Structure formats: C-alpha cells, structure tokens
Amino acid sequence: MILERLGGDAADSTDSTDPVLECLGLTRLAESMYQLLLQRPEWDTPELAVELGSTEEAVEASRAELAGLGLIWPSHENPGRMVAIQPNLGLGALIAEREAALLKEQHELQQARTAMMNLMREREAAQGARETGEIEYLRSLDSTRNRIAELSKDVQSEILALIPKAGLSPESLEASQKLDGEVLARGVSLRTLYLDSVRNHPATQQYAVWLTGLGGEIRTVPTLPMRIIVIDRKTAILPIDPKDSRAGAVLMREESVIAAVIALFERLWESALPLGTSGQRDDQGLTAQERELLRILASGLTDEAAGKRLGLSLRSVRRVMADLMTRLEARSRFEAGVRAVECGWL
C-alpha cells in the first residue's frame, strides 16, 4: 500500500520496484525520491543520488518534477532547500485532481454513449421509414445513381424529371441514354424539363433528338428550382443539398410530397417550350430567358448569381443584358431598369 511504503524507512522504500504513484504523474525515480525526502529532509543531491543509485543530474530533474507537481516546496527554516510536503496535502491534492479528471472523462464518455444511442435510434428510425416506404436517404452521388438505376428497372408507366443544367456531361449523357432507352422501349412515358440554356449545348441537343425519336418529350424553361425525378407518380427523388449533387438525395413516397412535386412539374411543363423549336418571343419582343434575366437582376442578384440560375456563363449574361440595354436605349443598368418598368417588361 502507498501509506505503508511511505511509513517505512528509507532503505525499505527503495527496495520495491513497483511504482504506485505513476497514475498521479510521478516517474519511478521521482516517487522513490519523494519517499526519501519524507524520511530524510536534510539530504542533499549527492546523498540522494547515492541512495537512489542514480546521477545527480537525474536527481535534480526529479526534484524539478516533484516541485512541478507540488510535492516539495522551499524550506522556511533552511533557505535554498526543498522539503517534502506531507502526503495528505501533496498527494491529496494530486488525487483530487485525478479524481476530477476521471469524473470529467466519465461524464464525457456518458455523453458519447448518449450520442451513440441517439444515432442508433435515428438510424433505426430511418431504416424503419425505408421499410415502410416513406423516406430513404442516399448519402452519395454513387448511391443515388445506383438507386435510380434500380428504380428505372421497375418503372411501369411514367417518369417526370427536372434537370437544372446548362448541359449534361458526356458521362451523364451516356448513363441517361442507357436508362432512358430501356424505359422508353417498355412504353414508359418520359417527360423532361431542362433550362433554356441547353439549346446552346450541342451534345445535349443531339441527345434530345435521339430521345424524342424514341417517344420521349423535352421542354425548356428559363429557370428550375432543383433536380427532381418522379417515378410512376409514387416516388420522388430530391437532392439533399440543391447546390451540391454529390451530397446525395432523398427518396420520398409521402403522398402529399408527391402531389406537390407533380403540381410544380405540370405548371412548369405547361409554360415550357419544346426543345427543337425556335425560341418564341412574347408580344413585347422578349424571350422567356430575357424576361427572367431582367427579373433576377431587378431583385438585386449579381450577374454571376443570375448566370447560375439560368445556366449561362457570365459572358453570356452580360451579352444578353447589353442587347437588352441597346433595345431599351439605356446607357446604364439603372436606366435600363427604369425603362424596362416603363415598357412593361418588369
């Protein structure tokens, strides 16, 4: 026991090789030296070094260690000498600190356990929701693509899609062409909404010609809220983060959500222009894209933000805006805004 060792004589204290105060931060040599100083407070460095079978440098290092832990302090009777503090004071303080640290660690572990249980409950709830068909989280782009491929094999009658892209990558076109070809061959109705800006994307144009040749339909609008796919009017796939498709998607089968998404699609589809037809201008000579650009800029958004919404490059946004300013005979953006209101463009 600790107190038994501290209560023995100096020779006995140095015979044992098992450090019992290591848990309080003491090295083996510092522990032995502390026990010696309790019994022989008058011993200096040379005597301690001989008794401990160590060097004077190591003894001085242990002395600094003991002082740092508050186990020795300067003697009032003999200036320049360090004396050991009684165990109930010195070790008691270290034990209290250690107990407090252990209690804190136990509290943190309990918090971690609680967080783990909460995560397990959430996972079980999500799994239960998936099993009941209400919601399913797809946490990556790959899992989203794989799930869409699985659902495409089981689609019975219809696919509705909103694709807010200025143009599809070769990889996306290849994957879409394979899946779309398979569902159209089974007589499934396929309607897709793209941004007007895809009209300037040759590869997407070629894909549209191929798709419509198989019976699919494609229309375009100036802006779209996010990427959405609806399968058989029973399942909707929406992005977890509309700004980052790599974050994955949420698969929903809640009837109210499906109804809302379909209503949004049908409203957009009604006002959309079939891809392959020339851009129509309204009675004021504006295309839908030009009018939407004016509306977006009038709301205070920057050219860059407008370009992202419309699927246009910054250069294209400024080119279209310059053309509108010419038609409005405006010399500044502010004057163009005033004239657009006067002309009923806004």
Side-chain angles (χ1 to χ4, degrees):
M1 299 293 291
I2 293 177
L3 293 181
E4 290 175 350
R5 292 185 60 189
L6 296 180
D9 59 25
D12 291 340
S13 68
T14 56
D15 287 340
S16 177
T17 59
D18 296 329
V20 294
L21 301 181
E22 188 176 9
C23 65
L24 301 180
L26 274 76
T27 61
R28 185 189 302 271
L29 182 61
E31 179 181 343
S32 299
M33 180 173 166
Y34 176 62
Q35 295 177 41
L36 279 173
L37 288 175
L38 285 171
Q39 302 299 323
R40 303 288 188 269
E42 73 280 5
W43 279 10
D44 290 326
T45 297
E47 296 167 302
L48 289 170
V50 171
E51 183 66 22
L52 293 170
S54 184
T55 64
E56 294 187 11
E57 290 78 7
V59 168
E60 287 299 320
S62 294
R63 191 189 302 276
E65 180 182 334
L66 292 172
L69 292 172
L71 293 177
I72 59 175
W73 56 18
S75 172
H76 294 290
E77 298 178 356
N78 300 294
R81 175 173 292 175
M82 302 290 288
V83 296
I85 300 173
Q86 291 304 308
N88 63 320
L89 297 177
L91 293 178
L94 290 179
I95 291 171
E97 290 179 5
R98 179 60 174 161
E99 287 176 338
L102 289 173
L103 287 174
K104 180 181 179 182
E105 185 175 353
Q106 287 179 340
H107 178 66
E108 292 173 347
L109 287 172
Q110 184 58 44
Q111 287 183 318
R113 183 180 298 277
T114 300
M116 178 191 70
M117 297 302 295
N118 289 338
L119 287 172
M120 290 178 63
R121 282 192 290 268
E122 290 175 5
R123 184 178 183 278
E124 290 171 358
Q127 182 65 27
R130 176 175 178 176
E131 291 173 356
T132 58
E134 294 177 359
I135 185 171
E136 177 182 344
Y137 286 96
L138 308 168
R139 298 291 185 177
S140 69
L141 183 58
D142 286 338
S143 61
T144 300
R145 288 177 174 173
N146 290 336
R147 194 73 177 98
I148 291 174
E150 291 175 1
L151 293 170
S152 297
K153 295 179 180 179
D154 298 326
V155 63
Q156 297 296 316
S157 59
E158 181 186 55
I159 294 178
L160 309 176
L162 277 65
I163 312 294
K165 292 285 187 179
L168 298 179
S169 66
E171 295 78 12
S172 295
L173 286 172
E174 182 179 356
S176 298
Q177 190 167 10
K178 182 177 184 300
L179 294 177
D180 294 345
E182 291 175 355
V183 298
L184 287 171
R186 300 202 308 267
V188 173
S189 171
L190 178 57
R191 289 190 289 161
T192 307
L193 280 167
Y194 284 100
L195 296 177
D196 285 341
S197 55
V198 301
R199 296 172 179 273
N200 301 319
H201 193 263
T204 305
Q205 285 277 20
Q206 293 176 6
Y207 164 74
V209 171
W210 170 84
L211 188 70
T212 54
L214 294 179
E217 296 180 81
I218 294 180
R219 295 186 183 183
T220 68
V221 290
T223 62
L224 288 169
M226 66 180 72
R227 180 162 187 162
I228 302 175
I229 298 175
V230 182
I231 298 175
D232 285 338
R233 299 189 171 237
K234 296 179 180 179
T235 303
I237 303 173
L238 297 82
I240 291 177
D241 182 355
K243 297 180 180 179
D244 183 8
S245 61
R246 293 171 298 179
V250 180
L251 189 150
M252 304 286 293
R253 291 191 176 92
E254 180 64 38
E255 290 185 5
S256 60
V257 174
I258 302 299
V261 172
I262 291 176
L264 170 63
F265 180 90
E266 295 295 355
R267 182 175 64 81
L268 292 170
W269 185 263
E270 185 178 350
S271 62
L273 185 67
L275 188 61
T277 61
S278 59
Q280 297 177 347
R281 296 184 178 272
D282 58 23
D283 54 3
Q284 293 173 320
L286 293 175
T287 65
Q289 187 181 74
E290 290 172 341
R291 188 177 292 277
E292 187 65 15
L293 175 59
L294 286 171
R295 188 191 66 78
I296 292 173
L297 294 178
S299 69
L301 294 181
T302 63
D303 289 356
E304 291 85 352
K308 288 181 180 180
R309 287 198 180 185
L310 296 168
L312 296 174
S313 66
L314 179 60
R315 182 177 180 180
S316 295
V317 169
R318 291 174 175 170
R319 176 180 54 77
V320 174
M321 194 59 205
D323 178 63
L324 291 172
M325 289 176 63
T326 299
R327 288 154 62 185
L328 289 166
E329 298 181 352
R331 289 173 294 182
S332 67
R333 289 283 185 95
F334 178 79
E335 185 179 1
V338 173
R339 289 184 177 274
V341 173
E342 292 174 348
C343 294
W345 290 10
L346 287 173

